[in-house]
Amino acid sequence: MPRILGVDIPANKRIDIALRYIYGLGPVNSKDILAAANIDPAIRAKDLNEQQMSQIVHAIQAGKYVIEGDLRREIGMNLKRLQGVKCYRGIRHIRGLPVRGQ
């Protein structure tokens, strides 16, 4: 299994699909990253060499994408802020109730 930025991505999937396993990257972001790294989206993740892997990592870091731990921390801090000011959404989060009118 190839590892990109500490995340195991599935080896048998196309690289544009496999990049979506990184928390914070979706279909549009993965296509943008592969375009910036000049890599064919149809190639399988197991067929990538070290140079292509480093190009992907460099494209992610150069694109200023907030991913994995930083994104999780930011979302958690937003929830703590809402709960701290005791706004309606924060109270709904505290009580475990639907927040957006579901």
Side-chain angles (χ1 to χ4, degrees), residues 40-94:
D40 180 28
I43 193 170
R44 301 286 171 174
K46 64 183 174 186
D47 297 331
L48 292 174
N49 58 27
E50 289 299 320
Q51 180 186 9
Q52 291 172 328
M53 298 280 275
S54 66
Q55 286 175 337
I56 291 173
V57 170
H58 181 68
I60 291 172
Q61 291 172 343
K64 307 277 189 210
Y65 294 101
V66 181
I67 56 171
E68 284 299 321
D70 294 335
L71 182 59
R72 292 179 200 271
R73 189 175 315 109
E74 185 177 326
I75 292 171
M77 288 173 49
N78 288 341
L79 290 177
K80 293 289 184 191
R81 178 181 51 81
L82 290 173
Q83 293 170 2
V85 298
K86 302 282 188 193
C87 70
Y88 179 78
R89 283 175 51 201
I91 292 171
R92 300 292 282 186
H93 273 293
I94 290 170

Side-chain angles (χ1 to χ4, degrees), residues 19-54:
L19 281 179
R20 298 180 195 180
Y21 281 74
I22 298 174
Y23 186 75
L25 293 183
V28 174
N29 290 341
S30 69
K31 288 181 183 177
D32 291 344
I33 289 167
L34 292 175
N38 296 325
I39 296 175
D40 180 28
I43 193 170
R44 301 286 171 174
K46 64 183 174 186
D47 297 331
L48 292 174
N49 58 27
E50 289 299 320
Q51 180 186 9
Q52 291 172 328
M53 298 280 275
S54 66

